[in-house]
Amino acid sequence: MTTRSEPGDDQTDPGLSAIMSERRQLINLAYRLLGSLADAEDVVQETYARWYAMSAAEQQAIDSPGAWLRTVASRVCLNLLGSARARRETYVGDWIPEPLPEPTEWITGRHGVGGIDPADRVTLDESVTMAFLVVLDSMTPAERVAFVLHDVFRYPFGEVAEIVGRTPTACRQLASSARRRIRTAQAPAGPSAEQAGIVRDFKVAWETKDIDTLISLLDPDATATADGGGLAVTHLHPIVGGAQIAHAYAEIARVSGHRTTFLERTVNGLPGLVAQQDGSIATVFAFEIAGDRIRHIWAVRNPEKLRPWQIG
């Protein structure tokens, strides 16, 4: 197996600190490949278990332990992606990637979600926005792995080929196909401050049940998708159309508004909203904004996906 030497890799006696220093990189890689922080953590545990199952001599024979760990993690993710497709056939409603908490409010900069080890945080960039992850989730496992490893983590196609089990030429074609999907599906992103203003206006209009303003903030062809996983009440199918979303969300505010507080939070690196009920986070909302209109809303209510948000 070909591995790359990385700065900081101890090539003679990789001690515990050197091996564990790779944890954040592994979490970053696995989250982008799987769209689930919980699954990413399981992958990292499995990867370390395989490392420590080897003898000291076997470990010392590996030129770059960091590259070895990332290769193993990628292969574990590839296997999980294949089985995930079968599992989702029985999933109740739509499956949305697990929203990623970021410990600051996007207006005040104050601490929002606490207790997160910095080593376990995923680096926030455009490759973890909800819109990006949703497109990744529409790809085949091989497409997703080839694209993420090459385009996001800059692996050469020769190494991607070893992980995916295809030729470098085939992996290049997989990444190219994935790139076209991204370009077709994603809206041009505006400045974060402008997006924050639109989300803030949406929050105010929603709280006041101002349907006309809600409609003006939504693209006429907007969609709103929810994920309750059969564990929380929500609409099972996407709501299509700005007017339809405005009326549906106004009804949600009417039914639960007296016990719901909306908080402005960063969700997967972009301005989002969190609905808090009785001191617990009930829903996390991520937005895709095109121009000055909201094009898509993702509402995650599955409590299993909200566990990282309850810390603090």
Side-chain angles (χ1 to χ4, degrees), residues 202-240:
F202 182 88
K203 170 181 175 286
V204 172
W206 189 6
E207 289 174 326
T208 58
K209 300 179 260 315
D210 184 345
I211 291 177
D212 289 339
T213 299
L214 287 174
I215 292 174
S216 72
L217 292 167
L218 290 157
D219 186 280
D221 297 319
T223 58
T225 306
D227 178 347
L231 302 175
V233 176
T234 191
H235 49 273
L236 290 177
H237 304 289
I239 303 171
V240 181

PDB file of all heavy atoms in Angstrom, residues 202-240:
ATOM      1  N   PHE A 202     -36.320  36.183   8.259  1.00  0.00           N
ATOM      2  CA  PHE A 202     -37.204  35.011   8.235  1.00  0.00           C
ATOM      3  C   PHE A 202     -37.637  34.641   9.654  1.00  0.00           C
ATOM      4  O   PHE A 202     -38.802  34.343   9.912  1.00  0.00           O
ATOM      5  CB  PHE A 202     -36.481  33.830   7.577  1.00  0.00           C
ATOM      6  CG  PHE A 202     -37.315  32.588   7.452  1.00  0.00           C
ATOM      7  CD1 PHE A 202     -38.118  32.386   6.343  1.00  0.00           C
ATOM      8  CD2 PHE A 202     -37.280  31.606   8.435  1.00  0.00           C
ATOM      9  CE1 PHE A 202     -38.893  31.235   6.220  1.00  0.00           C
ATOM     10  CE2 PHE A 202     -38.047  30.461   8.329  1.00  0.00           C
ATOM     11  CZ  PHE A 202     -38.862  30.270   7.208  1.00  0.00           C
ATOM     12  N   LYS A 203     -36.686  34.670  10.583  1.00  0.00           N
ATOM     13  CA  LYS A 203     -36.983  34.355  11.987  1.00  0.00           C
ATOM     14  C   LYS A 203     -38.043  35.299  12.547  1.00  0.00           C
ATOM     15  O   LYS A 203     -39.017  34.865  13.181  1.00  0.00           O
ATOM     16  CB  LYS A 203     -35.695  34.447  12.796  1.00  0.00           C
ATOM     17  CG  LYS A 203     -35.868  34.388  14.324  1.00  0.00           C
ATOM     18  CD  LYS A 203     -34.518  34.518  15.005  1.00  0.00           C
ATOM     19  CE  LYS A 203     -34.651  34.591  16.512  1.00  0.00           C
ATOM     20  NZ  LYS A 203     -35.165  35.905  16.960  1.00  0.00           N
ATOM     21  N   VAL A 204     -37.872  36.593  12.317  1.00  0.00           N
ATOM     22  CA  VAL A 204     -38.826  37.580  12.840  1.00  0.00           C
ATOM     23  C   VAL A 204     -40.202  37.383  12.215  1.00  0.00           C
ATOM     24  O   VAL A 204     -41.234  37.389  12.913  1.00  0.00           O
ATOM     25  CB  VAL A 204     -38.308  39.011  12.592  1.00  0.00           C
ATOM     26  CG1 VAL A 204     -39.377  40.038  12.955  1.00  0.00           C
ATOM     27  CG2 VAL A 204     -37.033  39.263  13.378  1.00  0.00           C
ATOM     28  N   ALA A 205     -40.238  37.196  10.905  1.00  0.00           N
ATOM     29  CA  ALA A 205     -41.522  36.994  10.227  1.00  0.00           C
ATOM     30  C   ALA A 205     -42.195  35.710  10.689  1.00  0.00           C
ATOM     31  O   ALA A 205     -43.418  35.649  10.830  1.00  0.00           O
ATOM     32  CB  ALA A 205     -41.305  36.963   8.714  1.00  0.00           C
ATOM     33  N   TRP A 206     -41.396  34.685  10.938  1.00  0.00           N
ATOM     34  CA  TRP A 206     -41.952  33.409  11.400  1.00  0.00           C
ATOM     35  C   TRP A 206     -42.538  33.567  12.801  1.00  0.00           C
ATOM     36  O   TRP A 206     -43.650  33.111  13.083  1.00  0.00           O
ATOM     37  CB  TRP A 206     -40.851  32.364  11.377  1.00  0.00           C
ATOM     38  CG  TRP A 206     -41.305  30.955  11.611  1.00  0.00           C
ATOM     39  CD1 TRP A 206     -42.587  30.503  11.731  1.00  0.00           C
ATOM     40  CD2 TRP A 206     -40.474  29.804  11.742  1.00  0.00           C
ATOM     41  NE1 TRP A 206     -42.603  29.153  11.917  1.00  0.00           N
ATOM     42  CE2 TRP A 206     -41.325  28.689  11.925  1.00  0.00           C
ATOM     43  CE3 TRP A 206     -39.098  29.609  11.696  1.00  0.00           C
ATOM     44  CZ2 TRP A 206     -40.838  27.393  12.103  1.00  0.00           C
ATOM     45  CZ3 TRP A 206     -38.611  28.323  11.852  1.00  0.00           C
ATOM     46  CH2 TRP A 206     -39.470  27.225  12.060  1.00  0.00           C
ATOM     47  N   GLU A 207     -41.796  34.233  13.680  1.00  0.00           N
ATOM     48  CA  GLU A 207     -42.268  34.404  15.058  1.00  0.00           C
ATOM     49  C   GLU A 207     -43.562  35.219  15.103  1.00  0.00           C
ATOM     50  O   GLU A 207     -44.426  34.982  15.954  1.00  0.00           O
ATOM     51  CB  GLU A 207     -41.190  35.098  15.895  1.00  0.00           C
ATOM     52  CG  GLU A 207     -39.983  34.210  16.190  1.00  0.00           C
ATOM     53  CD  GLU A 207     -38.868  34.967  16.887  1.00  0.00           C
ATOM     54  OE1 GLU A 207     -38.684  36.165  16.599  1.00  0.00           O
ATOM     55  OE2 GLU A 207     -38.186  34.353  17.727  1.00  0.00           O
ATOM     56  N   THR A 208     -43.706  36.163  14.181  1.00  0.00           N
ATOM     57  CA  THR A 208     -44.898  37.010  14.165  1.00  0.00           C
ATOM     58  C   THR A 208     -45.990  36.481  13.224  1.00  0.00           C
ATOM     59  O   THR A 208     -47.020  37.116  13.051  1.00  0.00           O
ATOM     60  CB  THR A 208     -44.527  38.440  13.743  1.00  0.00           C
ATOM     61  OG1 THR A 208     -43.907  38.411  12.453  1.00  0.00           O
ATOM     62  CG2 THR A 208     -43.584  39.069  14.759  1.00  0.00           C
ATOM     63  N   LYS A 209     -45.707  35.324  12.599  1.00  0.00           N
ATOM     64  CA  LYS A 209     -46.647  34.682  11.667  1.00  0.00           C
ATOM     65  C   LYS A 209     -47.035  35.628  10.524  1.00  0.00           C
ATOM     66  O   LYS A 209     -48.183  35.675  10.095  1.00  0.00           O
ATOM     67  CB  LYS A 209     -47.885  34.168  12.427  1.00  0.00           C
ATOM     68  CG  LYS A 209     -47.537  33.136  13.495  1.00  0.00           C
ATOM     69  CD  LYS A 209     -48.747  32.664  14.237  1.00  0.00           C
ATOM     70  CE  LYS A 209     -48.973  33.299  15.570  1.00  0.00           C
ATOM     71  NZ  LYS A 209     -47.895  33.466  16.478  1.00  0.00           N
ATOM     72  N   ASP A 210     -46.043  36.371  10.051  1.00  0.00           N
ATOM     73  CA  ASP A 210     -46.238  37.327   8.951  1.00  0.00           C
ATOM     74  C   ASP A 210     -46.077  36.576   7.618  1.00  0.00           C
ATOM     75  O   ASP A 210     -44.972  36.495   7.068  1.00  0.00           O
ATOM     76  CB  ASP A 210     -45.215  38.461   9.075  1.00  0.00           C
ATOM     77  CG  ASP A 210     -45.396  39.543   8.028  1.00  0.00           C
ATOM     78  OD1 ASP A 210     -46.118  39.313   7.039  1.00  0.00           O
ATOM     79  OD2 ASP A 210     -44.783  40.615   8.189  1.00  0.00           O
ATOM     80  N   ILE A 211     -47.153  36.038   7.113  1.00  0.00           N
ATOM     81  CA  ILE A 211     -47.095  35.177   5.935  1.00  0.00           C
ATOM     82  C   ILE A 211     -46.597  35.929   4.708  1.00  0.00           C
ATOM     83  O   ILE A 211     -45.792  35.406   3.916  1.00  0.00           O
ATOM     84  CB  ILE A 211     -48.476  34.538   5.670  1.00  0.00           C
ATOM     85  CG1 ILE A 211     -48.789  33.525   6.782  1.00  0.00           C
ATOM     86  CG2 ILE A 211     -48.495  33.850   4.303  1.00  0.00           C
ATOM     87  CD1 ILE A 211     -50.146  32.887   6.649  1.00  0.00           C
ATOM     88  N   ASP A 212     -47.033  37.175   4.535  1.00  0.00           N
ATOM     89  CA  ASP A 212     -46.610  37.938   3.352  1.00  0.00           C
ATOM     90  C   ASP A 212     -45.094  38.125   3.327  1.00  0.00           C
ATOM     91  O   ASP A 212     -44.450  37.989   2.276  1.00  0.00           O
ATOM     92  CB  ASP A 212     -47.306  39.297   3.319  1.00  0.00           C
ATOM     93  CG  ASP A 212     -48.789  39.172   2.985  1.00  0.00           C
ATOM     94  OD1 ASP A 212     -49.181  38.134   2.405  1.00  0.00           O
ATOM     95  OD2 ASP A 212     -49.541  40.105   3.300  1.00  0.00           O
ATOM     96  N   THR A 213     -44.507  38.446   4.486  1.00  0.00           N
ATOM     97  CA  THR A 213     -43.054  38.623   4.540  1.00  0.00           C
ATOM     98  C   THR A 213     -42.340  37.293   4.335  1.00  0.00           C
ATOM     99  O   THR A 213     -41.308  37.230   3.642  1.00  0.00           O
ATOM    100  CB  THR A 213     -42.635  39.246   5.879  1.00  0.00           C
ATOM    101  OG1 THR A 213     -43.253  40.536   6.005  1.00  0.00           O
ATOM    102  CG2 THR A 213     -41.130  39.412   5.959  1.00  0.00           C
ATOM    103  N   LEU A 214     -42.873  36.235   4.906  1.00  0.00           N
ATOM    104  CA  LEU A 214     -42.282  34.921   4.698  1.00  0.00           C
ATOM    105  C   LEU A 214     -42.251  34.580   3.209  1.00  0.00           C
ATOM    106  O   LEU A 214     -41.231  34.112   2.684  1.00  0.00           O
ATOM    107  CB  LEU A 214     -43.069  33.846   5.458  1.00  0.00           C
ATOM    108  CG  LEU A 214     -42.906  33.823   6.981  1.00  0.00           C
ATOM    109  CD1 LEU A 214     -43.863  32.805   7.592  1.00  0.00           C
ATOM    110  CD2 LEU A 214     -41.467  33.490   7.372  1.00  0.00           C
ATOM    111  N   ILE A 215     -43.345  34.821   2.527  1.00  0.00           N
ATOM    112  CA  ILE A 215     -43.408  34.530   1.086  1.00  0.00           C
ATOM    113  C   ILE A 215     -42.373  35.360   0.331  1.00  0.00           C
ATOM    114  O   ILE A 215     -41.713  34.871  -0.596  1.00  0.00           O
ATOM    115  CB  ILE A 215     -44.822  34.787   0.539  1.00  0.00           C
ATOM    116  CG1 ILE A 215     -45.806  33.747   1.107  1.00  0.00           C
ATOM    117  CG2 ILE A 215     -44.846  34.752  -0.988  1.00  0.00           C
ATOM    118  CD1 ILE A 215     -47.258  34.006   0.748  1.00  0.00           C
ATOM    119  N   SER A 216     -42.207  36.629   0.726  1.00  0.00           N
ATOM    120  CA  SER A 216     -41.256  37.500   0.025  1.00  0.00           C
ATOM    121  C   SER A 216     -39.806  37.048   0.226  1.00  0.00           C
ATOM    122  O   SER A 216     -38.940  37.363  -0.593  1.00  0.00           O
ATOM    123  CB  SER A 216     -41.423  38.947   0.499  1.00  0.00           C
ATOM    124  OG  SER A 216     -40.917  39.115   1.822  1.00  0.00           O
ATOM    125  N   LEU A 217     -39.550  36.329   1.317  1.00  0.00           N
ATOM    126  CA  LEU A 217     -38.192  35.876   1.606  1.00  0.00           C
ATOM    127  C   LEU A 217     -37.884  34.516   0.988  1.00  0.00           C
ATOM    128  O   LEU A 217     -36.718  34.100   0.943  1.00  0.00           O
ATOM    129  CB  LEU A 217     -37.981  35.780   3.127  1.00  0.00           C
ATOM    130  CG  LEU A 217     -37.981  37.111   3.878  1.00  0.00           C
ATOM    131  CD1 LEU A 217     -38.079  36.876   5.378  1.00  0.00           C
ATOM    132  CD2 LEU A 217     -36.723  37.916   3.541  1.00  0.00           C
ATOM    133  N   LEU A 218     -38.912  33.822   0.516  1.00  0.00           N
ATOM    134  CA  LEU A 218     -38.743  32.487  -0.038  1.00  0.00           C
ATOM    135  C   LEU A 218     -38.791  32.516  -1.557  1.00  0.00           C
ATOM    136  O   LEU A 218     -39.608  33.220  -2.148  1.00  0.00           O
ATOM    137  CB  LEU A 218     -39.842  31.558   0.489  1.00  0.00           C
ATOM    138  CG  LEU A 218     -39.757  31.186   1.972  1.00  0.00           C
ATOM    139  CD1 LEU A 218     -41.115  30.759   2.509  1.00  0.00           C
ATOM    140  CD2 LEU A 218     -38.737  30.056   2.165  1.00  0.00           C
ATOM    141  N   ASP A 219     -37.914  31.756  -2.183  1.00  0.00           N
ATOM    142  CA  ASP A 219     -37.984  31.585  -3.632  1.00  0.00           C
ATOM    143  C   ASP A 219     -39.329  30.928  -3.979  1.00  0.00           C
ATOM    144  O   ASP A 219     -39.788  30.058  -3.239  1.00  0.00           O
ATOM    145  CB  ASP A 219     -36.824  30.688  -4.082  1.00  0.00           C
ATOM    146  CG  ASP A 219     -36.733  30.582  -5.587  1.00  0.00           C
ATOM    147  OD1 ASP A 219     -37.519  29.794  -6.169  1.00  0.00           O
ATOM    148  OD2 ASP A 219     -35.883  31.258  -6.180  1.00  0.00           O
ATOM    149  N   PRO A 220     -39.976  31.343  -5.057  1.00  0.00           N
ATOM    150  CA  PRO A 220     -41.271  30.742  -5.413  1.00  0.00           C
ATOM    151  C   PRO A 220     -41.200  29.219  -5.542  1.00  0.00           C
ATOM    152  O   PRO A 220     -42.191  28.527  -5.296  1.00  0.00           O
ATOM    153  CB  PRO A 220     -41.612  31.394  -6.750  1.00  0.00           C
ATOM    154  CG  PRO A 220     -40.885  32.701  -6.720  1.00  0.00           C
ATOM    155  CD  PRO A 220     -39.618  32.440  -5.977  1.00  0.00           C
ATOM    156  N   ASP A 221     -40.023  28.692  -5.919  1.00  0.00           N
ATOM    157  CA  ASP A 221     -39.861  27.246  -6.070  1.00  0.00           C
ATOM    158  C   ASP A 221     -39.096  26.622  -4.912  1.00  0.00           C
ATOM    159  O   ASP A 221     -38.545  25.519  -5.037  1.00  0.00           O
ATOM    160  CB  ASP A 221     -39.131  26.940  -7.381  1.00  0.00           C
ATOM    161  CG  ASP A 221     -39.911  27.392  -8.594  1.00  0.00           C
ATOM    162  OD1 ASP A 221     -41.150  27.210  -8.615  1.00  0.00           O
ATOM    163  OD2 ASP A 221     -39.291  27.939  -9.531  1.00  0.00           O
ATOM    164  N   ALA A 222     -39.069  27.287  -3.779  1.00  0.00           N
ATOM    165  CA  ALA A 222     -38.323  26.796  -2.626  1.00  0.00           C
ATOM    166  C   ALA A 222     -38.874  25.458  -2.144  1.00  0.00           C
ATOM    167  O   ALA A 222     -40.041  25.120  -2.380  1.00  0.00           O
ATOM    168  CB  ALA A 222     -38.366  27.816  -1.490  1.00  0.00           C
ATOM    169  N   THR A 223     -38.027  24.708  -1.465  1.00  0.00           N
ATOM    170  CA  THR A 223     -38.456  23.459  -0.838  1.00  0.00           C
ATOM    171  C   THR A 223     -38.031  23.461   0.624  1.00  0.00           C
ATOM    172  O   THR A 223     -37.004  24.056   0.988  1.00  0.00           O
ATOM    173  CB  THR A 223     -37.860  22.222  -1.536  1.00  0.00           C
ATOM    174  OG1 THR A 223     -36.435  22.322  -1.507  1.00  0.00           O
ATOM    175  CG2 THR A 223     -38.343  22.120  -2.969  1.00  0.00           C
ATOM    176  N   ALA A 224     -38.822  22.802   1.453  1.00  0.00           N
ATOM    177  CA  ALA A 224     -38.499  22.638   2.865  1.00  0.00           C
ATOM    178  C   ALA A 224     -38.567  21.151   3.183  1.00  0.00           C
ATOM    179  O   ALA A 224     -39.609  20.516   3.003  1.00  0.00           O
ATOM    180  CB  ALA A 224     -39.467  23.421   3.745  1.00  0.00           C
ATOM    181  N   THR A 225     -37.444  20.600   3.631  1.00  0.00           N
ATOM    182  CA  THR A 225     -37.347  19.171   3.916  1.00  0.00           C
ATOM    183  C   THR A 225     -37.094  18.987   5.405  1.00  0.00           C
ATOM    184  O   THR A 225     -36.328  19.737   6.010  1.00  0.00           O
ATOM    185  CB  THR A 225     -36.186  18.544   3.116  1.00  0.00           C
ATOM    186  OG1 THR A 225     -36.345  18.848   1.740  1.00  0.00           O
ATOM    187  CG2 THR A 225     -36.157  17.035   3.295  1.00  0.00           C
ATOM    188  N   ALA A 226     -37.753  17.990   5.986  1.00  0.00           N
ATOM    189  CA  ALA A 226     -37.598  17.734   7.415  1.00  0.00           C
ATOM    190  C   ALA A 226     -37.173  16.287   7.641  1.00  0.00           C
ATOM    191  O   ALA A 226     -37.488  15.398   6.859  1.00  0.00           O
ATOM    192  CB  ALA A 226     -38.902  18.015   8.157  1.00  0.00           C
ATOM    193  N   ASP A 227     -36.444  16.088   8.736  1.00  0.00           N
ATOM    194  CA  ASP A 227     -35.943  14.759   9.106  1.00  0.00           C
ATOM    195  C   ASP A 227     -36.285  14.521  10.570  1.00  0.00           C
ATOM    196  O   ASP A 227     -35.678  15.098  11.466  1.00  0.00           O
ATOM    197  CB  ASP A 227     -34.429  14.701   8.874  1.00  0.00           C
ATOM    198  CG  ASP A 227     -33.802  13.370   9.280  1.00  0.00           C
ATOM    199  OD1 ASP A 227     -34.465  12.572   9.955  1.00  0.00           O
ATOM    200  OD2 ASP A 227     -32.637  13.146   8.919  1.00  0.00           O
ATOM    201  N   GLY A 228     -37.292  13.656  10.775  1.00  0.00           N
ATOM    202  CA  GLY A 228     -37.641  13.256  12.128  1.00  0.00           C
ATOM    203  C   GLY A 228     -37.240  11.834  12.430  1.00  0.00           C
ATOM    204  O   GLY A 228     -37.234  11.405  13.590  1.00  0.00           O
ATOM    205  N   GLY A 229     -36.919  11.083  11.377  1.00  0.00           N
ATOM    206  CA  GLY A 229     -36.472   9.703  11.550  1.00  0.00           C
ATOM    207  C   GLY A 229     -37.478   8.797  12.230  1.00  0.00           C
ATOM    208  O   GLY A 229     -37.112   7.740  12.748  1.00  0.00           O
ATOM    209  N   GLY A 230     -38.752   9.198  12.248  1.00  0.00           N
ATOM    210  CA  GLY A 230     -39.762   8.417  12.937  1.00  0.00           C
ATOM    211  C   GLY A 230     -39.741   8.607  14.438  1.00  0.00           C
ATOM    212  O   GLY A 230     -40.528   7.988  15.163  1.00  0.00           O
ATOM    213  N   LEU A 231     -38.865   9.498  14.925  1.00  0.00           N
ATOM    214  CA  LEU A 231     -38.718   9.728  16.362  1.00  0.00           C
ATOM    215  C   LEU A 231     -39.247  11.089  16.799  1.00  0.00           C
ATOM    216  O   LEU A 231     -39.292  11.379  17.989  1.00  0.00           O
ATOM    217  CB  LEU A 231     -37.239   9.611  16.759  1.00  0.00           C
ATOM    218  CG  LEU A 231     -36.577   8.268  16.433  1.00  0.00           C
ATOM    219  CD1 LEU A 231     -35.086   8.324  16.750  1.00  0.00           C
ATOM    220  CD2 LEU A 231     -37.244   7.138  17.205  1.00  0.00           C
ATOM    221  N   ALA A 232     -39.614  11.923  15.833  1.00  0.00           N
ATOM    222  CA  ALA A 232     -40.165  13.249  16.130  1.00  0.00           C
ATOM    223  C   ALA A 232     -41.211  13.576  15.076  1.00  0.00           C
ATOM    224  O   ALA A 232     -41.078  13.194  13.908  1.00  0.00           O
ATOM    225  CB  ALA A 232     -39.069  14.307  16.133  1.00  0.00           C
ATOM    226  N   VAL A 233     -42.238  14.282  15.477  1.00  0.00           N
ATOM    227  CA  VAL A 233     -43.318  14.643  14.557  1.00  0.00           C
ATOM    228  C   VAL A 233     -42.817  15.687  13.568  1.00  0.00           C
ATOM    229  O   VAL A 233     -42.223  16.697  13.950  1.00  0.00           O
ATOM    230  CB  VAL A 233     -44.523  15.196  15.333  1.00  0.00           C
ATOM    231  CG1 VAL A 233     -45.611  15.654  14.364  1.00  0.00           C
ATOM    232  CG2 VAL A 233     -45.073  14.139  16.280  1.00  0.00           C
ATOM    233  N   THR A 234     -43.049  15.446  12.300  1.00  0.00           N
ATOM    234  CA  THR A 234     -42.675  16.397  11.263  1.00  0.00           C
ATOM    235  C   THR A 234     -43.352  15.996   9.966  1.00  0.00           C
ATOM    236  O   THR A 234     -43.979  14.929   9.881  1.00  0.00           O
ATOM    237  CB  THR A 234     -41.149  16.453  11.086  1.00  0.00           C
ATOM    238  OG1 THR A 234     -40.804  17.544  10.257  1.00  0.00           O
ATOM    239  CG2 THR A 234     -40.618  15.168  10.467  1.00  0.00           C
ATOM    240  N   HIS A 235     -43.272  16.840   8.931  1.00  0.00           N
ATOM    241  CA  HIS A 235     -43.847  16.463   7.643  1.00  0.00           C
ATOM    242  C   HIS A 235     -42.934  15.435   6.986  1.00  0.00           C
ATOM    243  O   HIS A 235     -41.721  15.578   6.973  1.00  0.00           O
ATOM    244  CB  HIS A 235     -44.065  17.679   6.737  1.00  0.00           C
ATOM    245  CG  HIS A 235     -42.896  18.599   6.602  1.00  0.00           C
ATOM    246  ND1 HIS A 235     -42.641  19.646   7.479  1.00  0.00           N
ATOM    247  CD2 HIS A 235     -41.892  18.644   5.681  1.00  0.00           C
ATOM    248  CE1 HIS A 235     -41.559  20.290   7.108  1.00  0.00           C
ATOM    249  NE2 HIS A 235     -41.077  19.700   6.023  1.00  0.00           N
ATOM    250  N   LEU A 236     -43.544  14.388   6.435  1.00  0.00           N
ATOM    251  CA  LEU A 236     -42.777  13.265   5.895  1.00  0.00           C
ATOM    252  C   LEU A 236     -42.235  13.534   4.508  1.00  0.00           C
ATOM    253  O   LEU A 236     -41.285  12.885   4.079  1.00  0.00           O
ATOM    254  CB  LEU A 236     -43.652  12.004   5.873  1.00  0.00           C
ATOM    255  CG  LEU A 236     -43.989  11.392   7.238  1.00  0.00           C
ATOM    256  CD1 LEU A 236     -44.912  10.192   7.057  1.00  0.00           C
ATOM    257  CD2 LEU A 236     -42.724  10.984   7.979  1.00  0.00           C
ATOM    258  N   HIS A 237     -42.842  14.463   3.789  1.00  0.00           N
ATOM    259  CA  HIS A 237     -42.413  14.749   2.426  1.00  0.00           C
ATOM    260  C   HIS A 237     -42.059  16.231   2.311  1.00  0.00           C
ATOM    261  O   HIS A 237     -42.607  17.073   3.034  1.00  0.00           O
ATOM    262  CB  HIS A 237     -43.518  14.388   1.435  1.00  0.00           C
ATOM    263  CG  HIS A 237     -43.966  12.956   1.538  1.00  0.00           C
ATOM    264  ND1 HIS A 237     -43.185  11.906   1.126  1.00  0.00           N
ATOM    265  CD2 HIS A 237     -45.108  12.417   2.035  1.00  0.00           C
ATOM    266  CE1 HIS A 237     -43.826  10.777   1.344  1.00  0.00           C
ATOM    267  NE2 HIS A 237     -44.990  11.049   1.905  1.00  0.00           N
ATOM    268  N   PRO A 238     -41.147  16.588   1.417  1.00  0.00           N
ATOM    269  CA  PRO A 238     -40.775  17.997   1.257  1.00  0.00           C
ATOM    270  C   PRO A 238     -41.980  18.864   0.907  1.00  0.00           C
ATOM    271  O   PRO A 238     -42.870  18.449   0.166  1.00  0.00           O
ATOM    272  CB  PRO A 238     -39.767  17.953   0.104  1.00  0.00           C
ATOM    273  CG  PRO A 238     -39.214  16.575   0.122  1.00  0.00           C
ATOM    274  CD  PRO A 238     -40.351  15.694   0.543  1.00  0.00           C
ATOM    275  N   ILE A 239     -41.982  20.072   1.470  1.00  0.00           N
ATOM    276  CA  ILE A 239     -42.988  21.073   1.105  1.00  0.00           C
ATOM    277  C   ILE A 239     -42.406  21.872  -0.050  1.00  0.00           C
ATOM    278  O   ILE A 239     -41.275  22.368   0.035  1.00  0.00           O
ATOM    279  CB  ILE A 239     -43.304  22.006   2.289  1.00  0.00           C
ATOM    280  CG1 ILE A 239     -43.764  21.194   3.506  1.00  0.00           C
ATOM    281  CG2 ILE A 239     -44.386  23.014   1.900  1.00  0.00           C
ATOM    282  CD1 ILE A 239     -43.885  22.028   4.769  1.00  0.00           C
ATOM    283  N   VAL A 240     -43.140  21.982  -1.128  1.00  0.00           N
ATOM    284  CA  VAL A 240     -42.634  22.628  -2.338  1.00  0.00           C
ATOM    285  C   VAL A 240     -43.421  23.900  -2.604  1.00  0.00           C
ATOM    286  O   VAL A 240     -44.653  23.906  -2.596  1.00  0.00           O
ATOM    287  CB  VAL A 240     -42.737  21.682  -3.560  1.00  0.00           C
ATOM    288  CG1 VAL A 240     -42.194  22.365  -4.803  1.00  0.00           C
ATOM    289  CG2 VAL A 240     -41.979  20.378  -3.289  1.00  0.00           C
TER     290      VAL A 240
END
